[in-house]
Amino acid sequence: MKLIIFDCDGTLVDSEFLCNLALSQQLTECGIPSNITALITQFRGWKLASIIGNIEAEYGVTLPTDFEQEYRLKIKRLFSSKLKANPGVHQLLSSLDIPFCVASSAPRAKIEHALEVTGLSAFFKQNIFSGYDIQAWKPDPTLFLHVAKSKGLHPKDCLVIEDSLVGLLAAKRAKMRSIYYAPHKKSAGLAGITQVSHMSEIGELLTEKAF
């Protein structure tokens, strides 16, 4: 193993509830009913444009042109006051002797803000990859393949840590091994994919050279 690729939202940082709280608030302002838990279940790992397109099709509406801008502002405020790193993330990153980076479908500004407010920025510095930078989003494997190419590595030498099925599918398509970080699920029924509920388990797997 020569590189670990971490997803950001839901993996490094506990952001899924906050992101979908902002989305729910924004939809409510537009007169569209929503449930935060349902939004998380349906759209975890999706890029925003696909989420908006799905909602518009489902409700037969066209959302306001400033919908994304207002949504992003809500997220920024929530992140600044409430966002935390997931349990064990700091300890895991501090212990790694394998190079690592973050690759997310989120905009670079959102990734950088999330890492900053949770005290993770120093771990990643310039090792941040955004789908928006190359106009490719999970489950398309292009982002992960771009990371490998940028590091001069073969996909088989990369391990992906993801919390969404969309991200895991992107890793599979990129021919990369992956670990499913799912602290709130007992079993995902994903054949051939190792599932963990705490970041410390990833450190144990690496120590045991399971990957």
Side-chain angles (χ1 to χ4, degrees):
M1 188 58 52
K2 297 180 180 179
L3 179 70
I4 301 176
I5 304 174
F6 288 92
D7 174 52
C8 187
D9 284 315
T11 301
L12 290 172
V13 300
D14 190 11
S15 58
E16 286 300 320
F17 178 82
L18 297 179
C19 288
N20 285 283
L21 172 60
L23 180 59
S24 179
Q25 292 173 344
Q26 193 65 23
L27 289 172
T28 299
E29 291 177 12
C30 295
I32 298 174
S34 62
N35 174 277
I36 297 173
T37 301
L39 290 173
I40 293 173
T41 300
Q42 183 174 3
F43 297 124
R44 181 183 286 270
W46 287 35
K47 68 174 181 176
L48 183 59
S50 296
I51 295 174
I52 290 175
N54 184 281
I55 291 171
E56 288 182 329
E58 181 177 351
Y59 289 96
V61 300
T62 298
L63 295 172
T65 56
D66 65 348
F67 184 91
E68 179 174 353
Q69 179 182 4
E70 292 300 315
Y71 165 70
R72 299 284 186 202
L73 287 173
K74 284 181 171 64
I75 286 180
K76 189 173 183 178
R77 288 194 290 268
L78 287 168
F79 276 19
S80 293
S81 61
K82 298 181 182 299
L83 187 65
K84 298 182 183 301
N86 274 317
V89 166
H90 281 88
Q91 294 89 334
L92 174 62
L93 297 180
S94 296
S95 71
L96 291 177
D97 55 8
I98 302 170
F100 56 88
C101 66
V102 57
S104 168
S105 288
R108 177 172 291 270
K110 181 186 176 188
I111 302 168
E112 292 176 342
H113 185 220
L115 297 177
E116 179 184 355
V117 299
T118 55
L120 298 176
S121 292
F123 289 110
F124 292 94
K125 298 179 182 178
Q126 302 305 313
N127 290 306
I128 298 172
F129 296 85
S130 165
Y132 281 78
D133 290 344
I134 61 170
Q135 293 296 291
W137 295 269
K138 306 166 191 176
D140 185 328
T142 302
L143 178 59
F144 288 150
L145 293 173
H146 170 69
V147 172
K149 184 177 181 180
S150 297
K151 298 295 184 179
L153 298 173
H154 192 281
K156 69 179 178 60
D157 293 323
C158 302
L159 173 65
V160 173
I161 313 297
E162 273 281 355
D163 73 303
S164 73
L165 299 184
V166 169
L168 293 170
L169 180 56
K172 181 178 181 180
R173 290 173 173 173
K175 309 298 184 186
M176 295 180 178
R177 288 173 285 181
S178 61
I179 294 176
Y180 182 31
Y181 173 68
H184 305 301
K185 290 186 177 181
K186 291 184 178 180
S187 176
L190 296 170
I193 296 180
T194 299
Q195 179 174 325
V196 300
S197 59
H198 194 277
M199 285 292 165
S200 62
E201 296 176 63
I202 296 174
E204 293 169 2
L205 289 169
L206 294 173
T207 299
E208 296 167 1
K209 300 189 183 301
F211 286 87

